[in-house]
Structure formats: structure tokens, C-alpha cells
Amino acid sequence: MYIITRKHFETIVKHCQEAYPSEAGGFLGGRDNLILGIYPVFNLAFLHFSEKEEFALADGEIIKVHSYFEKHNMKVMGFYHSHPSASFPIPSEKDIMTHKLKHLKGMMIVSLYDLKNTIMAIYNIEGNTPVEQDIKIIEDNEVNKYL
Ligand SMILES: [Zn+2]
């Protein structure tokens, strides 16, 4: 199970909604199963590809992300991204490949088929299989209870 504060969860959803109809994404950082930080990244696919459901990272971005989270006493826990036209947040084969290449575990997907009522799911990628995880949204002032 993952735990995320309402503030971080709302920031992720807002980032995905604002990037619509392009895909948005960013890294999730924290301790154990507690998400304590997010690192939105610039989507290069926006510049290079015509497809909207495409995400590309700048070279060196991953190294920057690791050192950013380390500086804040966190680890990289995973990556979130949006599926702008999907009804349900299901990882694509490409998502799974990319995730494995980057040695990431948690994959959060926000589907934006209905822009106001977004649906989010989080998976752990185990081998080639996405295994859906529970996620608990806590109030910002509850975070100390989970540290
Ligand atoms: Zn995807």
C-alpha cells in the first residue's frame, strides 16, 4: 500500500489536467511506502512527437531527480503520468518497458478521459506484470503519524 498526502495528490492531478491534451508526468519520492515529494518533469515528447500519448525525458533528468530526493532525505519511489484519453488507468506495454529501463517500482497513472472526474491507480511493476496497489490519501497534518 502507498500513502500520499492530499496536497501532493491534488498537485499531481492538477499537473495532469493542465497538460491536457498532452501527457504529463513526474517522479514520486519518499520513505518506505509514504510519498513525501513530487518532481514534475518537462515532457520532451511535447516538442518532438506528434502523438499525444508519449512521454520523453531529457538526458540526465534521472540523475538530477535522484540527487534532489536524496538531498531531502527521500528515495525515488516511482513515476506518475497521465493517460489523456483513456477511461481507465491501465499501464501500456511501453509504460512497463520504460519503467523497467529506469529501474522504477511504483507507477501511478491518472486517466483524464473525464477531465473533471479523473481516475487514478498505482501499480508496482513486478517483472513484466503491473500489480495494482492500494493507495491511501491522508490529510497533510497527519503525515507525522506515518513517518
Ligand atoms: Zn502510460
Side-chain angles (χ1 to χ4, degrees), residues 23 53-55 81-84 89-96 107-110:
E23 196 170 307
E53 302 231 0
E54 185 80 56
F55 206 95
H81 71 284
S82 61
H83 282 180
I90 297 164
S92 68
E93 251 167 61
K94 199 169 158 217
D95 286 340
I96 295 165
M107 181 193 290
M108 182 190 282
I109 300 176
V110 179

Side-chain angles (χ1 to χ4, degrees), residues 21-23 44-54:
S22 290
E23 196 170 307
L44 287 181
F46 195 43
L47 303 174
H48 296 310
F49 304 106
S50 52
E51 294 156 74
K52 284 167 183 163
E53 302 231 0
E54 185 80 56

Side-chain angles (χ1 to χ4, degrees), residues 30-85:
R31 283 174 227 161
D32 300 321
N33 61 342
L34 182 60
I35 297 165
L36 291 167
I38 54 177
Y39 188 103
V41 288
F42 183 66
N43 186 1
L44 287 181
F46 195 43
L47 303 174
H48 296 310
F49 304 106
S50 52
E51 294 156 74
K52 284 167 183 163
E53 302 231 0
E54 185 80 56
F55 206 95
L57 285 177
D59 293 341
E61 192 86 40
I62 286 240
I63 297 162
K64 271 195 270 176
V65 170
H66 278 277
S67 67
Y68 172 82
F69 281 134
E70 257 165 46
K71 217 167 29 184
H72 293 90
N73 201 14
M74 297 179 213
K75 286 205 165 85
V76 175
M77 293 170 70
F79 195 80
Y80 71 86
H81 71 284
S82 61
H83 282 180
S85 56

Side-chain angles (χ1 to χ4, degrees), residues 53-147:
E53 302 231 0
E54 185 80 56
F55 206 95
L57 285 177
D59 293 341
E61 192 86 40
I62 286 240
I63 297 162
K64 271 195 270 176
V65 170
H66 278 277
S67 67
Y68 172 82
F69 281 134
E70 257 165 46
K71 217 167 29 184
H72 293 90
N73 201 14
M74 297 179 213
K75 286 205 165 85
V76 175
M77 293 170 70
F79 195 80
Y80 71 86
H81 71 284
S82 61
H83 282 180
S85 56
S87 316
F88 296 103
I90 297 164
S92 68
E93 251 167 61
K94 199 169 158 217
D95 286 340
I96 295 165
M97 287 311 299
T98 316
H99 228 68
K100 283 174 65 177
L101 281 174
K102 294 186 167 72
H103 304 289
L104 295 165
K105 191 179 177 203
M107 181 193 290
M108 182 190 282
I109 300 176
V110 179
S111 80
L112 298 173
Y113 181 70
D114 180 345
L115 203 50
K116 282 181 190 138
N117 299 299
T118 56
I119 304 173
M120 178 270 284
I122 190 162
Y123 302 84
N124 281 344
I125 306 303
E126 295 173 7
N128 288 317
T129 313
V131 180
E132 191 168 357
Q133 305 291 306
D134 288 328
I135 185 162
K136 185 176 176 183
I137 300 171
I138 59 167
E139 297 308 320
D140 304 336
N141 60 12
E142 288 181 310
V143 77
N144 285 331
K145 279 198 258 175
Y146 296 92
L147 284 172

